[in-house]
């Protein structure tokens, strides 16, 4: 199993929900109002007067066989509107309780 951490501009909320539903990914934890800045070209998302936009983030644990298709969908979403931005990070889940 893999943990996938997805950070996305709140403008993509409906797209992310739709993507998870289509891929039958039911379990996740969702954080609203996540602040930050992309490492290379991303504009800050700070919820301030100067940088008013905000991100959301999701952590989901998925079977290994769903990781590639999930990342493919996320990349496609990012390619459609690079300025809005979405990123995903994957790591191994060694144990769960």
């Amino acid at each position: 199993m893999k943990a996938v951490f997805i950070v996305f501009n709140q403008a993509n909320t409906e797209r992310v929900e739709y993507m998870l539903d289509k891929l039958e990914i039911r379990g996740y934890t969702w954080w609203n109002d996540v602040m930050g800045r992309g490492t290379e070209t991303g504009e800050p998302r700070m919820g301030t007067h100067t940088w008013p936009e905000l991100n959301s983030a999701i952590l989901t644990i998925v079977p290994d066989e769903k990781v590639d298709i999930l990342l493919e969908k996320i990349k496609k979403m990012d390619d459609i509107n690079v300025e809005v931005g979405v990123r995903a990070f994957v790591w191994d889940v060694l144990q769960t309780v």
Side-chain angles (χ1 to χ4, degrees), residues 3-95:
V4 183
F5 184 66
I6 307 167
V7 181
F8 55 95
N9 186 300
Q10 289 179 340
N12 276 329
T13 296
E14 289 180 6
R15 290 178 191 93
V16 171
E17 288 176 317
Y18 180 80
M19 175 186 63
L20 294 174
D21 286 346
K22 282 304 214 183
L23 295 175
E24 297 179 343
I25 297 173
R26 283 187 32 89
Y28 54 79
T29 299
W30 189 302
W31 293 271
N32 285 314
D33 301 339
V34 176
M35 294 178 271
R37 180 179 66 190
T39 55
E40 294 179 20
T41 60
E43 295 288 333
R45 306 280 198 273
M46 302 302 223
T48 65
H49 178 72
T50 305
W51 304 107
E53 295 182 54
L54 286 165
N55 289 326
S56 289
I58 289 176
L59 177 64
T60 185
I61 311 301
V62 298
D64 290 357
E65 60 270 12
K66 285 200 176 186
V67 172
D68 287 341
I69 186 78
L70 176 57
L71 293 179
E72 179 183 308
K73 299 289 185 187
I74 291 169
K75 172 92 171 83
K76 185 175 179 180
M77 185 185 310
D78 190 48
D79 288 345
I80 289 170
N81 192 347
V82 177
E83 302 253 335
V84 174
V86 57
R87 292 291 177 269
F89 308 88
V90 180
W91 63 92
D92 290 324
V93 174
L94 301 177
Q95 296 180 348

